[in-house]
């Protein structure tokens, strides 16, 4: 679905304003001890709200300043060049997410999807080396072969592969990703993981998130990884609901990063 034609006009941008950098090869992440805060949302960061501030400033008001903002490359309110410039002017990095409802079984399907994502990312001016997270739903059975084809092809396109998924072993992602680590470690070790479980009940739907986050780094990890190797943990969902200027309810999800390299070198 195409992006909604935004009614905002304050941030008109020139394509040349979106600068590009080049990273020749994906790099295996290394963990650091400090935690960095971020958010993700299907709502545009420059969406004007009912209280006459934009979504990004609403997040800042209700949390510490985000180090990154996860945004979708697909859907009605998908990431645009205008929003990219808006976030960069705020000093905030962007974590691109791609959602697709297609079948995810074969290597060829993964390669085709990676090519599609590569073209879209280049059109948006996303720099080489940036991690693109493929959103895999709990009920999707994305196979090891699909993930292998996707990861290899996305690296050929110049980007770093990532997966945003429920890493609880009750769901298929754990099994298939861990199989990949056993049979194709050189490929799968380059993939960043964004764990969406477990969420911490006290943070779901929260309206008082000022300056608080979980004390312990406790995302679920696929069996072939350790918790320290998880790049991002989404620990709270649907926070701080408010209507925008069009009367639609907006929310955002809360995330932590324990991997400085994701922020410094992988997000743009």
């Amino acid at each position: 679905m195409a992006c909604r034609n935004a009614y905002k006009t304050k941030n008109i941008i020139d394509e040349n304003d979106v600068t590009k950098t080049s990273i020749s090869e994906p790099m295996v992440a290394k963990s650091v001890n400090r935690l960095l805060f971020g958010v993700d949302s299907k709502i545009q960061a420059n969406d004007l709200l009912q209280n006459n501030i934009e979504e990004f400033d609403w997040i800042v008001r209700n949390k510490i300043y985000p180090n990154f903002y996860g945004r979708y490359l697909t859907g009605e309110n998908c990431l645009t060049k205008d929003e990219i410039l808006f976030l960069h002017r705020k000093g905030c990095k962007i974590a691109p997410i791609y959602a697709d409802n297609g079948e995810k079984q074969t290597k060829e399907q993964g390669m085709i999807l990676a090519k599609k994502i590569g073209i879209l990312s280049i059109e948006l001016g996303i720099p080489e080396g940036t991690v693109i997270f493929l959103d895999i739903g709990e009920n999707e059975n994305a196979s090891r072969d699909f993930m292998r084809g996707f990861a290899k092809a996305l690296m050929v396109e110049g980007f770093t592969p990532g997966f945003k998924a429920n890493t609880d072993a009750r769901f298929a992602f754990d099994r298939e990703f861990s199989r990949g680590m056993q049979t194709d470690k050189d490929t799968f070790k380059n993939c960043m993981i964004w764990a969406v479980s477990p969420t911490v009940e006290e943070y779901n739907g929260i309206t008082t998130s000022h300056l608080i986050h979980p004390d312990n780094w406790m995302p679920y990890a696929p069996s072939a990884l350790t918790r320290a190797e998880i790049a991002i943990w989404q620990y709270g969902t649907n926070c701080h609901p408010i209507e925008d200027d069009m009367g639609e309810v907006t929310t955002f999800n809360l995330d932590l990063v324990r991997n400085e390299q994701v922020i410094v070198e992988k997000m743009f």
Side-chain angles (χ1 to χ4, degrees):
M1 185 183 297
C3 297
R4 183 175 66 189
N5 184 18
Y7 56 88
K8 303 171 290 298
T9 59
K10 66 170 67 177
N11 293 307
I12 305 301
I13 93 167
D14 188 309
E15 291 187 10
N16 293 327
D17 287 335
V18 182
T19 59
K20 289 191 176 184
T21 59
S22 178
I23 300 176
S24 57
E25 292 185 12
M27 299 169 60
V28 180
K30 64 179 181 179
S31 296
V32 294
N33 291 325
R34 66 193 183 109
L35 297 178
L36 302 172
F37 168 70
V39 299
D40 69 275
S41 178
K42 293 184 178 180
I43 304 300
Q44 291 173 336
N46 51 348
D47 193 11
L48 188 65
L49 304 180
Q50 66 179 37
N51 54 4
N52 199 38
I53 63 174
E54 287 150 322
E55 179 75 5
F56 184 88
D57 293 323
W58 177 243
I59 291 169
V60 172
R61 177 179 291 190
N62 288 288
K63 197 66 176 72
I64 58 177
Y65 205 93
N67 294 100
F68 75 93
Y69 202 120
R71 287 287 292 120
Y72 281 82
L73 301 178
T74 56
E76 186 178 16
N77 297 300
C78 58
L79 183 68
T80 65
K81 289 183 177 181
D82 183 57
E83 185 182 5
I84 290 171
L85 183 59
F86 173 85
L87 284 167
H88 285 174
R89 284 174 172 167
K90 295 285 189 180
C92 184
K93 293 185 178 291
I94 305 166
I97 309 164
Y98 192 94
D100 179 86
N101 294 324
E103 190 175 5
K104 298 177 175 64
Q105 289 300 304
T106 69
K107 177 181 71 175
E108 290 73 20
Q109 289 169 342
M111 294 172 65
I112 291 170
L113 182 58
K115 180 67 175 179
K116 182 178 178 181
I117 292 173
I119 293 171
L120 176 58
S121 299
I122 291 170
E123 289 175 347
L124 283 171
I126 296 176
E128 283 188 31
T130 301
V131 59
I132 310 293
F133 289 94
L134 179 61
D135 193 334
I136 297 180
E138 290 181 353
N139 297 320
E140 286 191 286
N141 185 19
S143 74
R144 171 196 57 180
D145 292 341
F146 168 85
M147 287 190 271
R148 178 177 57 199
F150 172 81
K152 285 186 174 181
L154 195 63
M155 286 188 282
V156 170
E157 293 296 315
F159 300 98
T160 300
F163 297 105
K164 185 174 186 280
N166 192 325
T167 44
D168 188 325
R170 293 177 297 174
F171 299 99
F173 179 80
D174 167 80
R175 178 182 66 253
E176 295 300 316
F177 185 86
S178 296
R179 287 180 64 206
M181 284 291 291
Q182 293 171 352
T183 61
D184 301 274
K185 188 173 183 178
D186 286 345
T187 296
F188 279 76
K189 71 180 181 181
N190 288 308
C191 299
M192 299 285 185
I193 302 299
W194 188 334
V196 301
S197 61
T199 58
V200 183
E201 185 175 354
E202 63 190 277
Y203 295 100
N204 292 330
I206 197 169
T207 59
T208 56
S209 64
H210 298 72
L211 301 177
I212 57 175
H213 60 70
D215 294 326
N216 299 314
W217 178 252
M218 295 292 288
Y220 293 143
S223 305
L225 299 178
T226 66
R227 279 191 168 126
E229 293 173 291
I230 298 298
I232 303 175
W233 175 28
Q234 183 187 89
Y235 65 90
T237 61
N238 300 319
C239 300
H240 296 281
I242 187 173
E243 288 189 0
D244 67 11
D245 209 33
M246 302 285 286
E248 298 181 11
V249 175
T250 76
T251 63
F252 58 89
N253 303 320
L254 304 173
D255 298 283
L256 286 178
V257 171
R258 194 187 173 189
N259 186 319
E260 190 175 36
Q261 189 173 0
V262 175
I263 293 293
V264 175
E265 298 187 50
K266 297 299 183 184
M267 296 179 187
F268 74 104

